[in-house]
Amino acid sequence: DSCRNFHCKRGKVCHVDKQRKPSCICQDPAACPSTKDYEHVCGTDNKTYDGTCQLFGTKCQLEGTKMGRQLHLDYMGSCKYIPHCTDYEVDQFPLRMRDWLKNILMQYYKRDLDTSGFLTEKQRSKVKKIYQNDKHLVAGDHTVELLLHDFEKNYHMYVYPVHWQFHQLDQHPVDRLLTHSELAPLRASLVPMEHCITRFFQECDGDQDKLIALKEWCRCFGIKE
């Protein structure tokens, strides 16, 4: 099978010509497998697609056009009304996000106590210090004032979670820069719950080069240089 080890980017599939030579062609959106309602996704064109296969197949067919360049995965789930993000809300967003990242890592650490695999040994040693610190704020729906107070009082507990999330996303390639597609896994899953995440990342890109550098990321989360 000529296509077995032939890789095509999202939105494309392997096709073999008469000479058995493989190449990548656009996925036909109509040929995508059927999906469940919970697998639907919303594109940046505010249109609901039956799944990522249909979305990226459509984007591929529009390649080279303005519409194709502008079409991305916006968020998981069917398109719905996303409220406008106010200045006040975007200012508070990093408080909740830092707390959320810290608690995600603590959950991974607790799971690794029973079955290892979520964190590397180096990551475990970093998170262990936060987990064993009896001053850490337990997960919950905290007020903005409490989150701000805890960040100022226990600043050192928040530095690693912010760095960890950046490096989890910085994969294609690993270059200390986050592209739109690298941000997508985090952003697309959170938009329905955190409607300020899009504006937050736009404003993180201080030099407007459509890339978020590690320094820009840390500055947005209030982490000192």
PDB file of all heavy atoms in Angstrom, residues 15-50:
ATOM      1  N   HIS A  15      -3.694   9.853  -2.266  1.00  0.00           N
ATOM      2  CA  HIS A  15      -4.271   9.330  -3.509  1.00  0.00           C
ATOM      3  C   HIS A  15      -3.155   8.698  -4.341  1.00  0.00           C
ATOM      4  O   HIS A  15      -2.071   9.267  -4.460  1.00  0.00           O
ATOM      5  CB  HIS A  15      -4.935  10.461  -4.299  1.00  0.00           C
ATOM      6  CG  HIS A  15      -5.371  10.070  -5.676  1.00  0.00           C
ATOM      7  ND1 HIS A  15      -6.477   9.278  -5.894  1.00  0.00           N
ATOM      8  CD2 HIS A  15      -4.839  10.343  -6.902  1.00  0.00           C
ATOM      9  CE1 HIS A  15      -6.620   9.084  -7.196  1.00  0.00           C
ATOM     10  NE2 HIS A  15      -5.639   9.718  -7.837  1.00  0.00           N
ATOM     11  N   VAL A  16      -3.409   7.525  -4.912  1.00  0.00           N
ATOM     12  CA  VAL A  16      -2.402   6.831  -5.711  1.00  0.00           C
ATOM     13  C   VAL A  16      -2.789   6.917  -7.189  1.00  0.00           C
ATOM     14  O   VAL A  16      -3.918   6.586  -7.564  1.00  0.00           O
ATOM     15  CB  VAL A  16      -2.284   5.350  -5.274  1.00  0.00           C
ATOM     16  CG1 VAL A  16      -1.262   4.614  -6.149  1.00  0.00           C
ATOM     17  CG2 VAL A  16      -1.891   5.252  -3.817  1.00  0.00           C
ATOM     18  N   ASP A  17      -1.837   7.365  -8.036  1.00  0.00           N
ATOM     19  CA  ASP A  17      -2.138   7.480  -9.467  1.00  0.00           C
ATOM     20  C   ASP A  17      -1.900   6.146 -10.180  1.00  0.00           C
ATOM     21  O   ASP A  17      -1.590   5.129  -9.536  1.00  0.00           O
ATOM     22  CB  ASP A  17      -1.321   8.609 -10.109  1.00  0.00           C
ATOM     23  CG  ASP A  17       0.185   8.366 -10.033  1.00  0.00           C
ATOM     24  OD1 ASP A  17       0.592   7.207  -9.816  1.00  0.00           O
ATOM     25  OD2 ASP A  17       0.953   9.332 -10.195  1.00  0.00           O
ATOM     26  N   LYS A  18      -2.013   6.143 -11.488  1.00  0.00           N
ATOM     27  CA  LYS A  18      -1.896   4.897 -12.261  1.00  0.00           C
ATOM     28  C   LYS A  18      -0.510   4.273 -12.157  1.00  0.00           C
ATOM     29  O   LYS A  18      -0.335   3.070 -12.346  1.00  0.00           O
ATOM     30  CB  LYS A  18      -2.227   5.174 -13.732  1.00  0.00           C
ATOM     31  CG  LYS A  18      -3.699   5.512 -13.957  1.00  0.00           C
ATOM     32  CD  LYS A  18      -3.974   5.842 -15.410  1.00  0.00           C
ATOM     33  CE  LYS A  18      -5.450   6.213 -15.611  1.00  0.00           C
ATOM     34  NZ  LYS A  18      -5.730   6.603 -17.019  1.00  0.00           N
ATOM     35  N   GLN A  19       0.489   5.087 -11.888  1.00  0.00           N
ATOM     36  CA  GLN A  19       1.861   4.571 -11.732  1.00  0.00           C
ATOM     37  C   GLN A  19       2.150   4.155 -10.282  1.00  0.00           C
ATOM     38  O   GLN A  19       3.296   3.913  -9.925  1.00  0.00           O
ATOM     39  CB  GLN A  19       2.883   5.636 -12.164  1.00  0.00           C
ATOM     40  CG  GLN A  19       3.001   5.854 -13.669  1.00  0.00           C
ATOM     41  CD  GLN A  19       1.827   6.640 -14.233  1.00  0.00           C
ATOM     42  OE1 GLN A  19       1.390   7.630 -13.642  1.00  0.00           O
ATOM     43  NE2 GLN A  19       1.304   6.174 -15.368  1.00  0.00           N
ATOM     44  N   ARG A  20       1.110   4.089  -9.464  1.00  0.00           N
ATOM     45  CA  ARG A  20       1.198   3.724  -8.056  1.00  0.00           C
ATOM     46  C   ARG A  20       1.985   4.740  -7.235  1.00  0.00           C
ATOM     47  O   ARG A  20       2.560   4.433  -6.200  1.00  0.00           O
ATOM     48  CB  ARG A  20       1.831   2.328  -7.852  1.00  0.00           C
ATOM     49  CG  ARG A  20       1.188   1.203  -8.644  1.00  0.00           C
ATOM     50  CD  ARG A  20      -0.257   0.980  -8.266  1.00  0.00           C
ATOM     51  NE  ARG A  20      -0.441   0.653  -6.850  1.00  0.00           N
ATOM     52  CZ  ARG A  20      -1.598   0.771  -6.197  1.00  0.00           C
ATOM     53  NH1 ARG A  20      -2.666   1.234  -6.819  1.00  0.00           N
ATOM     54  NH2 ARG A  20      -1.669   0.440  -4.931  1.00  0.00           N
ATOM     55  N   LYS A  21       1.997   5.978  -7.722  1.00  0.00           N
ATOM     56  CA  LYS A  21       2.712   7.039  -7.015  1.00  0.00           C
ATOM     57  C   LYS A  21       1.725   7.790  -6.119  1.00  0.00           C
ATOM     58  O   LYS A  21       0.705   8.286  -6.597  1.00  0.00           O
ATOM     59  CB  LYS A  21       3.353   7.993  -8.026  1.00  0.00           C
ATOM     60  CG  LYS A  21       4.215   9.057  -7.383  1.00  0.00           C
ATOM     61  CD  LYS A  21       4.827   9.966  -8.442  1.00  0.00           C
ATOM     62  CE  LYS A  21       5.638  11.082  -7.774  1.00  0.00           C
ATOM     63  NZ  LYS A  21       6.196  12.029  -8.775  1.00  0.00           N
ATOM     64  N   PRO A  22       2.032   7.894  -4.813  1.00  0.00           N
ATOM     65  CA  PRO A  22       1.100   8.570  -3.893  1.00  0.00           C
ATOM     66  C   PRO A  22       1.260  10.095  -3.924  1.00  0.00           C
ATOM     67  O   PRO A  22       2.345  10.612  -4.179  1.00  0.00           O
ATOM     68  CB  PRO A  22       1.507   8.025  -2.525  1.00  0.00           C
ATOM     69  CG  PRO A  22       2.970   7.733  -2.664  1.00  0.00           C
ATOM     70  CD  PRO A  22       3.184   7.318  -4.100  1.00  0.00           C
ATOM     71  N   SER A  23       0.160  10.784  -3.702  1.00  0.00           N
ATOM     72  CA  SER A  23       0.185  12.252  -3.566  1.00  0.00           C
ATOM     73  C   SER A  23      -0.989  12.644  -2.673  1.00  0.00           C
ATOM     74  O   SER A  23      -1.866  11.834  -2.388  1.00  0.00           O
ATOM     75  CB  SER A  23       0.066  12.933  -4.935  1.00  0.00           C
ATOM     76  OG  SER A  23      -1.188  12.630  -5.533  1.00  0.00           O
ATOM     77  N   CYS A  24      -0.977  13.892  -2.220  1.00  0.00           N
ATOM     78  CA  CYS A  24      -2.047  14.370  -1.339  1.00  0.00           C
ATOM     79  C   CYS A  24      -3.055  15.198  -2.127  1.00  0.00           C
ATOM     80  O   CYS A  24      -2.671  16.101  -2.870  1.00  0.00           O
ATOM     81  CB  CYS A  24      -1.467  15.218  -0.206  1.00  0.00           C
ATOM     82  SG  CYS A  24      -0.435  14.272   0.938  1.00  0.00           S
ATOM     83  N   ILE A  25      -4.323  14.876  -1.965  1.00  0.00           N
ATOM     84  CA  ILE A  25      -5.395  15.643  -2.594  1.00  0.00           C
ATOM     85  C   ILE A  25      -6.387  16.060  -1.509  1.00  0.00           C
ATOM     86  O   ILE A  25      -6.408  15.484  -0.422  1.00  0.00           O
ATOM     87  CB  ILE A  25      -6.120  14.836  -3.695  1.00  0.00           C
ATOM     88  CG1 ILE A  25      -6.795  13.591  -3.091  1.00  0.00           C
ATOM     89  CG2 ILE A  25      -5.168  14.453  -4.815  1.00  0.00           C
ATOM     90  CD1 ILE A  25      -7.747  12.873  -4.049  1.00  0.00           C
ATOM     91  N   CYS A  26      -7.197  17.068  -1.803  1.00  0.00           N
ATOM     92  CA  CYS A  26      -8.168  17.549  -0.816  1.00  0.00           C
ATOM     93  C   CYS A  26      -9.200  16.479  -0.471  1.00  0.00           C
ATOM     94  O   CYS A  26      -9.701  15.775  -1.350  1.00  0.00           O
ATOM     95  CB  CYS A  26      -8.899  18.786  -1.345  1.00  0.00           C
ATOM     96  SG  CYS A  26      -7.892  20.280  -1.337  1.00  0.00           S
ATOM     97  N   GLN A  27      -9.477  16.378   0.812  1.00  0.00           N
ATOM     98  CA  GLN A  27     -10.546  15.498   1.289  1.00  0.00           C
ATOM     99  C   GLN A  27     -11.887  16.032   0.792  1.00  0.00           C
ATOM    100  O   GLN A  27     -12.160  17.233   0.893  1.00  0.00           O
ATOM    101  CB  GLN A  27     -10.538  15.481   2.822  1.00  0.00           C
ATOM    102  CG  GLN A  27     -11.787  14.941   3.480  1.00  0.00           C
ATOM    103  CD  GLN A  27     -11.883  13.438   3.402  1.00  0.00           C
ATOM    104  OE1 GLN A  27     -10.958  12.747   3.767  1.00  0.00           O
ATOM    105  NE2 GLN A  27     -13.007  12.935   2.922  1.00  0.00           N
ATOM    106  N   ASP A  28     -12.709  15.167   0.220  1.00  0.00           N
ATOM    107  CA  ASP A  28     -14.057  15.565  -0.189  1.00  0.00           C
ATOM    108  C   ASP A  28     -14.911  15.661   1.071  1.00  0.00           C
ATOM    109  O   ASP A  28     -15.139  14.652   1.744  1.00  0.00           O
ATOM    110  CB  ASP A  28     -14.640  14.524  -1.144  1.00  0.00           C
ATOM    111  CG  ASP A  28     -16.080  14.840  -1.552  1.00  0.00           C
ATOM    112  OD1 ASP A  28     -16.568  15.942  -1.183  1.00  0.00           O
ATOM    113  OD2 ASP A  28     -16.708  13.993  -2.210  1.00  0.00           O
ATOM    114  N   PRO A  29     -15.371  16.871   1.444  1.00  0.00           N
ATOM    115  CA  PRO A  29     -16.170  17.013   2.677  1.00  0.00           C
ATOM    116  C   PRO A  29     -17.380  16.087   2.717  1.00  0.00           C
ATOM    117  O   PRO A  29     -17.761  15.593   3.778  1.00  0.00           O
ATOM    118  CB  PRO A  29     -16.595  18.484   2.655  1.00  0.00           C
ATOM    119  CG  PRO A  29     -15.567  19.165   1.816  1.00  0.00           C
ATOM    120  CD  PRO A  29     -15.190  18.163   0.766  1.00  0.00           C
ATOM    121  N   ALA A  30     -17.975  15.838   1.550  1.00  0.00           N
ATOM    122  CA  ALA A  30     -19.166  14.985   1.494  1.00  0.00           C
ATOM    123  C   ALA A  30     -18.837  13.521   1.796  1.00  0.00           C
ATOM    124  O   ALA A  30     -19.723  12.732   2.126  1.00  0.00           O
ATOM    125  CB  ALA A  30     -19.825  15.099   0.126  1.00  0.00           C
ATOM    126  N   ALA A  31     -17.551  13.149   1.657  1.00  0.00           N
ATOM    127  CA  ALA A  31     -17.143  11.756   1.879  1.00  0.00           C
ATOM    128  C   ALA A  31     -16.677  11.511   3.309  1.00  0.00           C
ATOM    129  O   ALA A  31     -16.273  10.396   3.649  1.00  0.00           O
ATOM    130  CB  ALA A  31     -16.039  11.392   0.900  1.00  0.00           C
ATOM    131  N   CYS A  32     -16.708  12.541   4.153  1.00  0.00           N
ATOM    132  CA  CYS A  32     -16.282  12.376   5.549  1.00  0.00           C
ATOM    133  C   CYS A  32     -17.244  11.445   6.286  1.00  0.00           C
ATOM    134  O   CYS A  32     -18.452  11.448   6.005  1.00  0.00           O
ATOM    135  CB  CYS A  32     -16.250  13.731   6.263  1.00  0.00           C
ATOM    136  SG  CYS A  32     -14.891  14.797   5.744  1.00  0.00           S
ATOM    137  N   PRO A  33     -16.732  10.643   7.212  1.00  0.00           N
ATOM    138  CA  PRO A  33     -17.622   9.752   7.975  1.00  0.00           C
ATOM    139  C   PRO A  33     -18.637  10.552   8.786  1.00  0.00           C
ATOM    140  O   PRO A  33     -18.362  11.684   9.188  1.00  0.00           O
ATOM    141  CB  PRO A  33     -16.654   8.987   8.890  1.00  0.00           C
ATOM    142  CG  PRO A  33     -15.411   9.811   8.940  1.00  0.00           C
ATOM    143  CD  PRO A  33     -15.327  10.514   7.634  1.00  0.00           C
ATOM    144  N   SER A  34     -19.785   9.978   9.010  1.00  0.00           N
ATOM    145  CA  SER A  34     -20.830  10.671   9.770  1.00  0.00           C
ATOM    146  C   SER A  34     -20.372  10.845  11.221  1.00  0.00           C
ATOM    147  O   SER A  34     -19.585  10.057  11.739  1.00  0.00           O
ATOM    148  CB  SER A  34     -22.143   9.888   9.731  1.00  0.00           C
ATOM    149  OG  SER A  34     -21.958   8.584  10.258  1.00  0.00           O
ATOM    150  N   THR A  35     -20.871  11.894  11.858  1.00  0.00           N
ATOM    151  CA  THR A  35     -20.464  12.205  13.228  1.00  0.00           C
ATOM    152  C   THR A  35     -21.679  12.377  14.129  1.00  0.00           C
ATOM    153  O   THR A  35     -22.800  12.575  13.664  1.00  0.00           O
ATOM    154  CB  THR A  35     -19.641  13.516  13.269  1.00  0.00           C
ATOM    155  OG1 THR A  35     -20.433  14.572  12.699  1.00  0.00           O
ATOM    156  CG2 THR A  35     -18.342  13.385  12.493  1.00  0.00           C
ATOM    157  N   LYS A  36     -21.420  12.316  15.423  1.00  0.00           N
ATOM    158  CA  LYS A  36     -22.461  12.574  16.425  1.00  0.00           C
ATOM    159  C   LYS A  36     -22.563  14.088  16.638  1.00  0.00           C
ATOM    160  O   LYS A  36     -21.648  14.842  16.286  1.00  0.00           O
ATOM    161  CB  LYS A  36     -22.102  11.900  17.750  1.00  0.00           C
ATOM    162  CG  LYS A  36     -21.785  10.418  17.637  1.00  0.00           C
ATOM    163  CD  LYS A  36     -23.022   9.593  17.398  1.00  0.00           C
ATOM    164  CE  LYS A  36     -22.688   8.095  17.449  1.00  0.00           C
ATOM    165  NZ  LYS A  36     -23.848   7.263  17.050  1.00  0.00           N
ATOM    166  N   ASP A  37     -23.652  14.525  17.246  1.00  0.00           N
ATOM    167  CA  ASP A  37     -23.851  15.955  17.505  1.00  0.00           C
ATOM    168  C   ASP A  37     -22.707  16.561  18.313  1.00  0.00           C
ATOM    169  O   ASP A  37     -22.282  17.687  18.067  1.00  0.00           O
ATOM    170  CB  ASP A  37     -25.173  16.190  18.242  1.00  0.00           C
ATOM    171  CG  ASP A  37     -26.378  16.029  17.319  1.00  0.00           C
ATOM    172  OD1 ASP A  37     -26.167  15.931  16.094  1.00  0.00           O
ATOM    173  OD2 ASP A  37     -27.516  16.003  17.821  1.00  0.00           O
ATOM    174  N   TYR A  38     -22.188  15.789  19.294  1.00  0.00           N
ATOM    175  CA  TYR A  38     -21.150  16.334  20.165  1.00  0.00           C
ATOM    176  C   TYR A  38     -19.794  16.449  19.450  1.00  0.00           C
ATOM    177  O   TYR A  38     -18.851  17.012  19.994  1.00  0.00           O
ATOM    178  CB  TYR A  38     -21.010  15.499  21.450  1.00  0.00           C
ATOM    179  CG  TYR A  38     -20.651  14.040  21.233  1.00  0.00           C
ATOM    180  CD1 TYR A  38     -19.333  13.643  20.976  1.00  0.00           C
ATOM    181  CD2 TYR A  38     -21.624  13.045  21.309  1.00  0.00           C
ATOM    182  CE1 TYR A  38     -19.002  12.317  20.790  1.00  0.00           C
ATOM    183  CE2 TYR A  38     -21.312  11.722  21.119  1.00  0.00           C
ATOM    184  CZ  TYR A  38     -20.001  11.353  20.866  1.00  0.00           C
ATOM    185  OH  TYR A  38     -19.676  10.034  20.669  1.00  0.00           O
ATOM    186  N   GLU A  39     -19.703  15.900  18.223  1.00  0.00           N
ATOM    187  CA  GLU A  39     -18.462  16.000  17.452  1.00  0.00           C
ATOM    188  C   GLU A  39     -18.490  17.175  16.476  1.00  0.00           C
ATOM    189  O   GLU A  39     -17.526  17.421  15.772  1.00  0.00           O
ATOM    190  CB  GLU A  39     -18.211  14.697  16.687  1.00  0.00           C
ATOM    191  CG  GLU A  39     -17.935  13.502  17.588  1.00  0.00           C
ATOM    192  CD  GLU A  39     -17.836  12.186  16.817  1.00  0.00           C
ATOM    193  OE1 GLU A  39     -18.800  11.843  16.097  1.00  0.00           O
ATOM    194  OE2 GLU A  39     -16.791  11.523  16.931  1.00  0.00           O
ATOM    195  N   HIS A  40     -19.620  17.898  16.435  1.00  0.00           N
ATOM    196  CA  HIS A  40     -19.712  19.054  15.547  1.00  0.00           C
ATOM    197  C   HIS A  40     -18.731  20.135  15.993  1.00  0.00           C
ATOM    198  O   HIS A  40     -18.390  20.237  17.172  1.00  0.00           O
ATOM    199  CB  HIS A  40     -21.144  19.618  15.548  1.00  0.00           C
ATOM    200  CG  HIS A  40     -22.126  18.714  14.874  1.00  0.00           C
ATOM    201  ND1 HIS A  40     -23.482  18.967  14.839  1.00  0.00           N
ATOM    202  CD2 HIS A  40     -21.959  17.543  14.197  1.00  0.00           C
ATOM    203  CE1 HIS A  40     -24.101  18.011  14.180  1.00  0.00           C
ATOM    204  NE2 HIS A  40     -23.191  17.123  13.790  1.00  0.00           N
ATOM    205  N   VAL A  41     -18.274  20.932  15.039  1.00  0.00           N
ATOM    206  CA  VAL A  41     -17.344  22.026  15.349  1.00  0.00           C
ATOM    207  C   VAL A  41     -17.826  23.297  14.656  1.00  0.00           C
ATOM    208  O   VAL A  41     -18.548  23.244  13.665  1.00  0.00           O
ATOM    209  CB  VAL A  41     -15.902  21.705  14.896  1.00  0.00           C
ATOM    210  CG1 VAL A  41     -15.346  20.510  15.651  1.00  0.00           C
ATOM    211  CG2 VAL A  41     -15.821  21.476  13.395  1.00  0.00           C
ATOM    212  N   CYS A  42     -17.407  24.432  15.208  1.00  0.00           N
ATOM    213  CA  CYS A  42     -17.768  25.717  14.623  1.00  0.00           C
ATOM    214  C   CYS A  42     -16.540  26.329  13.961  1.00  0.00           C
ATOM    215  O   CYS A  42     -15.468  26.410  14.564  1.00  0.00           O
ATOM    216  CB  CYS A  42     -18.296  26.659  15.714  1.00  0.00           C
ATOM    217  SG  CYS A  42     -18.912  28.243  15.060  1.00  0.00           S
ATOM    218  N   GLY A  43     -16.687  26.743  12.695  1.00  0.00           N
ATOM    219  CA  GLY A  43     -15.598  27.382  11.977  1.00  0.00           C
ATOM    220  C   GLY A  43     -15.591  28.872  12.224  1.00  0.00           C
ATOM    221  O   GLY A  43     -16.558  29.446  12.733  1.00  0.00           O
ATOM    222  N   THR A  44     -14.491  29.523  11.852  1.00  0.00           N
ATOM    223  CA  THR A  44     -14.398  30.977  12.034  1.00  0.00           C
ATOM    224  C   THR A  44     -15.325  31.720  11.075  1.00  0.00           C
ATOM    225  O   THR A  44     -15.453  32.942  11.166  1.00  0.00           O
ATOM    226  CB  THR A  44     -12.944  31.448  11.824  1.00  0.00           C
ATOM    227  OG1 THR A  44     -12.407  30.823  10.648  1.00  0.00           O
ATOM    228  CG2 THR A  44     -12.070  31.072  13.012  1.00  0.00           C
ATOM    229  N   ASP A  45     -15.955  30.983  10.154  1.00  0.00           N
ATOM    230  CA  ASP A  45     -16.970  31.591   9.296  1.00  0.00           C
ATOM    231  C   ASP A  45     -18.350  31.522   9.941  1.00  0.00           C
ATOM    232  O   ASP A  45     -19.367  31.792   9.308  1.00  0.00           O
ATOM    233  CB  ASP A  45     -16.998  30.883   7.927  1.00  0.00           C
ATOM    234  CG  ASP A  45     -17.227  29.373   8.049  1.00  0.00           C
ATOM    235  OD1 ASP A  45     -17.264  28.856   9.189  1.00  0.00           O
ATOM    236  OD2 ASP A  45     -17.338  28.698   7.005  1.00  0.00           O
ATOM    237  N   ASN A  46     -18.388  31.127  11.242  1.00  0.00           N
ATOM    238  CA  ASN A  46     -19.619  30.990  12.019  1.00  0.00           C
ATOM    239  C   ASN A  46     -20.575  29.969  11.405  1.00  0.00           C
ATOM    240  O   ASN A  46     -21.798  30.098  11.498  1.00  0.00           O
ATOM    241  CB  ASN A  46     -20.325  32.346  12.184  1.00  0.00           C
ATOM    242  CG  ASN A  46     -21.267  32.342  13.377  1.00  0.00           C
ATOM    243  OD1 ASN A  46     -20.978  31.705  14.399  1.00  0.00           O
ATOM    244  ND2 ASN A  46     -22.388  33.019  13.268  1.00  0.00           N
ATOM    245  N   LYS A  47     -19.991  28.932  10.808  1.00  0.00           N
ATOM    246  CA  LYS A  47     -20.786  27.854  10.226  1.00  0.00           C
ATOM    247  C   LYS A  47     -20.469  26.551  10.969  1.00  0.00           C
ATOM    248  O   LYS A  47     -19.311  26.275  11.274  1.00  0.00           O
ATOM    249  CB  LYS A  47     -20.449  27.701   8.738  1.00  0.00           C
ATOM    250  CG  LYS A  47     -21.184  26.557   8.047  1.00  0.00           C
ATOM    251  CD  LYS A  47     -20.761  26.438   6.585  1.00  0.00           C
ATOM    252  CE  LYS A  47     -21.370  25.190   5.945  1.00  0.00           C
ATOM    253  NZ  LYS A  47     -20.900  24.993   4.556  1.00  0.00           N
ATOM    254  N   THR A  48     -21.510  25.778  11.271  1.00  0.00           N
ATOM    255  CA  THR A  48     -21.322  24.501  11.960  1.00  0.00           C
ATOM    256  C   THR A  48     -20.964  23.416  10.953  1.00  0.00           C
ATOM    257  O   THR A  48     -21.651  23.235   9.943  1.00  0.00           O
ATOM    258  CB  THR A  48     -22.596  24.095  12.726  1.00  0.00           C
ATOM    259  OG1 THR A  48     -22.870  25.076  13.744  1.00  0.00           O
ATOM    260  CG2 THR A  48     -22.435  22.735  13.384  1.00  0.00           C
ATOM    261  N   TYR A  49     -19.891  22.690  11.248  1.00  0.00           N
ATOM    262  CA  TYR A  49     -19.453  21.565  10.405  1.00  0.00           C
ATOM    263  C   TYR A  49     -19.675  20.269  11.178  1.00  0.00           C
ATOM    264  O   TYR A  49     -19.594  20.242  12.408  1.00  0.00           O
ATOM    265  CB  TYR A  49     -17.972  21.714  10.054  1.00  0.00           C
ATOM    266  CG  TYR A  49     -17.694  22.890   9.131  1.00  0.00           C
ATOM    267  CD1 TYR A  49     -17.534  24.172   9.656  1.00  0.00           C
ATOM    268  CD2 TYR A  49     -17.615  22.723   7.749  1.00  0.00           C
ATOM    269  CE1 TYR A  49     -17.305  25.256   8.810  1.00  0.00           C
ATOM    270  CE2 TYR A  49     -17.388  23.797   6.904  1.00  0.00           C
ATOM    271  CZ  TYR A  49     -17.231  25.067   7.451  1.00  0.00           C
ATOM    272  OH  TYR A  49     -17.002  26.136   6.620  1.00  0.00           O
ATOM    273  N   ASP A  50     -19.951  19.209  10.436  1.00  0.00           N
ATOM    274  CA  ASP A  50     -20.245  17.928  11.091  1.00  0.00           C
ATOM    275  C   ASP A  50     -19.052  17.352  11.845  1.00  0.00           C
ATOM    276  O   ASP A  50     -19.194  16.433  12.640  1.00  0.00           O
ATOM    277  CB  ASP A  50     -20.751  16.908  10.071  1.00  0.00           C
ATOM    278  CG  ASP A  50     -22.179  17.211   9.631  1.00  0.00           C
ATOM    279  OD1 ASP A  50     -22.826  18.032  10.300  1.00  0.00           O
ATOM    280  OD2 ASP A  50     -22.639  16.639   8.628  1.00  0.00           O
TER     281      ASP A  50
END
